Amino acid sequence: MDHLHEQACEACQTGAPTVSEQELQELLPQIPDWQPVVRDGVMRLERSYAFRNFRQALNFTHQVGELAEAHDHHPAILTEWGKVTVTWWTHKINGLHRTDLILAAKTDRLPGSAG
Amino acid sequence: MDHLHEQACEACQTGAPTVSEQELQELLPQIPDWQPVVRDGVMRLERSYAFRNFRQALNFTHQVGELAEAHDHHPAILTEWGKVTVTWWTHKINGLHRTDLILAAKTDRLPGSAG
């Protein structure tokens, strides 16, 4: 199986298919710390990262922001003292696109993610 | 009345008094865009700022983070495309300290807050 974190993100168009339940179950083991959550009726992928202080959390937020800008796909990032929660989903399709799983995998590989 | 944004933040100790209802009503007109919200039983001050894109939102998050570090008092900052939501409260007293109102006023005066 190709590794998610090595895959390219497709530009996501309105009407693109959401990830199927089967595909999700196949791919989630590659991003085991991410939880699928349904909020406001929309499936999302969410993970919290722990840090030793606020500065490290803020630095990681910056890295996630740069990753998002590089792929023109933007998560919600909640920055708190010692903690960052990242939530990926695709607004245009009100759900999860394969791109969200790829970007979750790339988020795990950011240098600041280790805390 | 002294302006909130010009006041110094006291170091907040466990056992310090929360802002009284009367004090809150007196001071909120100085920060009219901030909403007192109770979440998980804790009173907080929350405001969302609108931006034209993700980059501007991320830059503002960085400014709020630096303000927080400068005062060693840390809010929750939710960064999304075109939007940043800042929530101030004081963990040590499970509620609002005068410092939270002062930092809300200072947040409003950050250069990036205009969007």
Side-chain angles (χ1 to χ4, degrees):
Chain A
M1 193 194 314
D2 288 348
H3 293 300
L4 273 175
H5 69 276
E6 294 168 344
Q7 293 179 33
C9 303
E10 302 165 35
C12 187
Q13 307 293 331
T14 303
T18 55
V19 168
S20 70
E21 182 64 27
Q22 184 187 340
E23 198 175 13
L24 193 61
Q25 293 311 322
E26 282 173 12
L27 295 173
L28 278 179
Q30 290 193 44
I31 45 172
D33 296 314
W34 291 80
Q35 293 291 329
V37 295
V38 177
R39 199 172 296 134
D40 299 330
V42 175
M43 174 85 85
R44 305 153 199 257
L45 271 182
E46 191 161 274
R47 176 178 175 186
S48 290
Y49 297 83
F51 300 95
R52 283 193 292 276
N53 52 43
F54 185 80
R55 172 66 65 192
Q56 284 193 354
L58 189 63
N59 287 347
F60 183 63
T61 292
H62 180 74
Q63 291 179 14
V64 177
E66 293 301 327
L67 176 71
E69 284 285 270
H71 293 277
D72 196 20
H73 190 65
H74 301 91
I77 314 170
L78 177 61
T79 311
E80 300 172 274
W81 194 97
K83 184 179 177 185
V84 173
T85 304
V86 181
T87 311
W88 290 103
W89 78 101
T90 300
H91 300 66
K92 284 187 182 169
I93 61 174
N94 277 324
L96 288 179
H97 187 268
R98 190 181 178 93
T99 288
D100 295 300
L101 283 81
I102 295 171
L103 284 169
K106 290 183 188 293
T107 306
D108 281 347
R109 281 164 182 78
L110 289 171
S113 68
Chain B
M1 194 195 313
D2 288 348
H3 293 300
L4 273 176
H5 69 276
E6 294 169 343
Q7 293 178 34
C9 303
E10 303 164 35
C12 186
Q13 308 294 332
T14 304
T18 54
V19 169
S20 70
E21 183 64 28
Q22 184 186 341
E23 198 175 14
L24 193 60
Q25 293 311 322
E26 281 174 11
L27 295 173
L28 278 179
Q30 289 193 44
I31 45 172
D33 296 313
W34 291 80
Q35 292 292 328
V37 294
V38 177
R39 200 172 295 133
D40 299 330
V42 175
M43 174 84 86
R44 304 152 199 257
L45 271 182
E46 191 161 274
R47 178 179 174 184
S48 290
Y49 297 83
F51 300 95
R52 282 192 293 276
N53 52 42
F54 185 81
R55 172 65 66 192
Q56 285 192 354
L58 188 63
N59 286 349
F60 183 62
T61 291
H62 180 74
Q63 292 179 12
V64 177
E66 293 300 328
L67 176 71
E69 283 286 270
H71 293 278
D72 196 20
H73 190 65
H74 301 91
I77 314 170
L78 178 61
T79 312
E80 300 172 274
W81 195 97
K83 184 179 177 185
V84 173
T85 305
V86 181
T87 312
W88 290 103
W89 78 99
T90 299
H91 299 67
K92 283 187 182 168
I93 61 174
N94 277 323
L96 286 180
H97 187 267
R98 191 181 179 93
T99 288
D100 294 301
L101 284 81
I102 294 170
L103 285 169
K106 290 183 189 293
T107 306
D108 280 347
R109 282 164 181 77
L110 290 172
S113 68

